[in-house]
Amino acid sequence: MLNNSQYIEKLRSSGLRPTKQRIKICEVLFNTQKTFHFTINELVKRISKSTNDKISLATVYNTVHAFKNKGYLKEIPINSDQSYFDTNTSHHHHFYDETQKDLIDIDDADVEPVKINTRIPGKKIKSVEVLVKVEDDKS
Amino acid sequence: MLNNSQYIEKLRSSGLRPTKQRIKICEVLFNTQKTFHFTINELVKRISKSTNDKISLATVYNTVHAFKNKGYLKEIPINSDQSYFDTNTSHHHHFYDETQKDLIDIDDADVEPVKINTRIPGKKIKSVEVLVKVEDDKS
DNA sequence: TTCTACATTATAATAGTTCTAAACTGTTGA
DNA sequence: TCAACAGTTTAGAACTATTATAATGTAGAA
Ligand SMILES: [Mn+2]
Ligand SMILES: [Mn+2]
Ligand SMILES: [Zn+2]
Ligand SMILES: [Zn+2]
C-alpha cells in the first residue's frame, strides 16, 4: 500500500526506470490489502479495468519478469499451461485446488519446517516449496 | 522389468488395448533398472532409438496421458515450458537443478514427513509435493 | 535542450500441446 | 471364422502461452 512517488522510488532504487506503465502495474499488484496470485492473462484484465491507457501484452510480460527478477514477485511452480505468480514474496507454501484451479496460501505457521536430510554436492538450495493438491471431497 | 506378455496383461487389465505402440512405450518406460524423469521430447528420442517402427507424436502424447490417468506415471509440477513426467509413482520429492534443468529424486527416507496443520473445508488432499530448487554453488 | 540507453509496442515467430478426421486394428460375438 | 464396431493411430492443422523483433517513444543525464 504505497503511493505513486513511493513506487517511483522503489523502481528507481532497483535500477528500473519508473515509466507510467510500470507505476500502473505496481499499483495493480501492490496497492492491495491482501497479496494474491495471478496469471498474466488475469493481470492484463485487472490492468485494463483500472486504467484507460492500455498497456501492451509485451510490456506486461516484460514487467512481470523484471519484478520477478528483482524479487517483487514469485513464480509458483504448478504444472499448468500457464505461469502463476504471487505478490506474496515471503516464505510460504500453497494449496492448489484442482477442482477450481485456485491457488491458496498456506500460512507458514501451519507448516512444520521441511527437513531435507540430503544435499547435492556443489549445489546450493534456492527454495523449498510445498504444493498440496486438493480436490472436492465427495465421500 | 516385465516382458511383453506381462505388459499386454497390464494394459488389458486397465482397459487399454495392448497395441504395438503402447507395448513399445511400456518397454521404453518400464523396462529399466531405475526409474527416471522425462519430457515428451526426450521420450520421443528414446523411443526412436529403440525401434525402427516410428510412433507418431500424437500417440506418444495420448499414451503418456493414458498412463498418467491409470497411475503408471506421475506428472511433476515444475514451472517450466514443458511437462515433466516420472516413472517413479511412489511417494517421493524432488530436487530441481535450475542450472542443468535436471530433476532428481529425493529418497523419501531423507525427508521428514511434511505436516500441514490446516485444511480446506470440503476438500481432500490428493498429494503433498516438495520441490527443492537448487543451483550451482559459486561462493 | 540534446543525447542516449532503456522501455514500449505491434506484430511475428516459436514451441509445447491438443484437436481433427480419416485410416487402421484389436476384440467380440454371431 | 469373420464381420462389425469401438478404440487407436496418424499427419497435419490449430491453439495458446510465451518470447523475439525491430521500430518508435521516453526518462534521465549532461
Ligand atoms: Mn500440463
Ligand atoms: Mn516459465
Ligand atoms: Zn502464495
Ligand atoms: Zn521422481
Side-chain angles (χ1 to χ4, degrees):
Chain A
M1 294 290 261
L2 306 174
N3 60 40
N4 281 17
S5 61
Q6 288 174 298
Y7 290 131
I8 290 173
E9 207 30 61
K10 180 177 176 171
L11 289 165
R12 250 196 215 109
S13 70
S14 44
L16 298 172
R17 283 191 186 165
T19 63
K20 65 179 194 300
Q21 291 88 346
R22 284 172 175 167
I23 294 163
K24 168 54 67 182
I25 293 173
C26 276
E27 284 175 28
V28 172
L29 290 177
F30 307 120
N31 250 359
T32 56
Q33 208 64 44
K34 297 179 184 178
T35 61
F36 61 96
H37 307 106
F38 63 92
T39 63
I40 296 289
N41 248 318
E42 290 163 0
L43 179 56
V44 166
K45 283 181 201 158
R46 279 178 189 251
I47 291 167
S48 54
K49 268 179 201 155
S50 77
T51 184
N52 292 316
D53 311 339
K54 129 158 200 249
I55 299 179
S56 81
L57 182 59
T59 296
V60 177
Y61 272 99
N62 290 342
T63 303
V64 165
H65 287 140
F67 286 5
K68 181 192 166 190
N69 289 337
K70 294 299 178 183
Y72 304 148
L73 292 173
K74 285 204 302 186
E75 190 168 0
I76 306 299
I78 300 175
N79 209 338
S80 169
D81 310 323
Q82 49 196 324
S83 289
Y84 279 73
F85 295 90
D86 196 339
T87 66
N88 179 354
T89 55
S90 72
H91 184 267
H92 68 287
H93 304 295
H94 294 93
F95 287 115
Y96 184 62
D97 182 341
E98 295 202 322
T99 309
Q100 299 186 216
K101 308 247 178 270
D102 192 25
L103 251 190
I104 301 150
D105 278 356
I106 303 179
D107 192 308
D108 218 30
D110 288 329
V111 184
E112 311 285 328
V114 179
K115 279 194 194 150
I116 313 287
N117 301 320
T118 184
R119 286 300 118 97
I120 301 184
K123 304 282 175 179
K124 71 161 180 285
I125 291 178
K126 272 188 71 177
S127 65
V128 177
E129 308 233 335
V130 179
L131 182 66
V132 181
K133 289 187 179 170
V134 301
E135 65 184 350
D136 281 355
D137 187 1
K138 15 170 193 261
S139 64
Chain B
M1 295 293 259
L2 305 175
N3 60 39
N4 282 17
S5 61
Q6 289 175 296
Y7 290 131
I8 291 173
E9 206 31 62
K10 182 178 175 170
L11 288 165
R12 250 196 215 110
S13 71
S14 44
L16 297 172
R17 284 192 187 165
T19 63
K20 67 179 193 299
Q21 291 87 347
R22 283 173 175 166
I23 294 164
K24 168 54 67 183
I25 294 174
C26 276
E27 284 175 28
V28 172
L29 290 176
F30 306 122
N31 250 359
T32 58
Q33 208 65 45
K34 298 178 182 177
T35 60
F36 61 95
H37 307 105
F38 64 92
T39 62
I40 295 289
N41 248 318
E42 290 163 0
L43 179 55
V44 166
K45 283 180 202 157
R46 279 178 190 252
I47 291 167
S48 54
K49 267 179 202 154
S50 76
T51 185
N52 292 314
D53 310 337
K54 128 155 204 256
I55 299 180
S56 81
L57 182 59
T59 297
V60 177
Y61 272 99
N62 290 342
T63 303
V64 165
H65 287 140
F67 286 4
K68 181 192 165 190
N69 289 337
K70 295 299 178 184
Y72 304 147
L73 292 173
K74 285 204 303 184
E75 190 169 358
I76 306 299
I78 299 176
N79 209 329
S80 171
D81 309 324
Q82 49 197 321
S83 290
Y84 280 73
F85 295 90
D86 197 339
T87 66
N88 179 354
T89 56
S90 72
H91 184 267
H92 67 288
H93 304 296
H94 295 92
F95 287 115
Y96 183 63
D97 181 340
E98 296 202 320
T99 309
Q100 299 186 215
K101 309 248 180 268
D102 192 25
L103 251 190
I104 301 149
D105 277 356
I106 304 178
D107 191 309
D108 219 31
D110 288 329
V111 184
E112 310 285 327
V114 179
K115 279 195 193 147
I116 312 288
N117 301 319
T118 184
R119 287 300 118 99
I120 301 183
K123 305 282 175 179
K124 70 160 179 285
I125 291 178
K126 272 189 71 178
S127 66
V128 177
E129 308 233 336
V130 179
L131 183 66
V132 181
K133 289 187 178 169
V134 301
E135 64 183 351
D136 281 355
D137 187 2
K138 15 171 194 260
S139 65

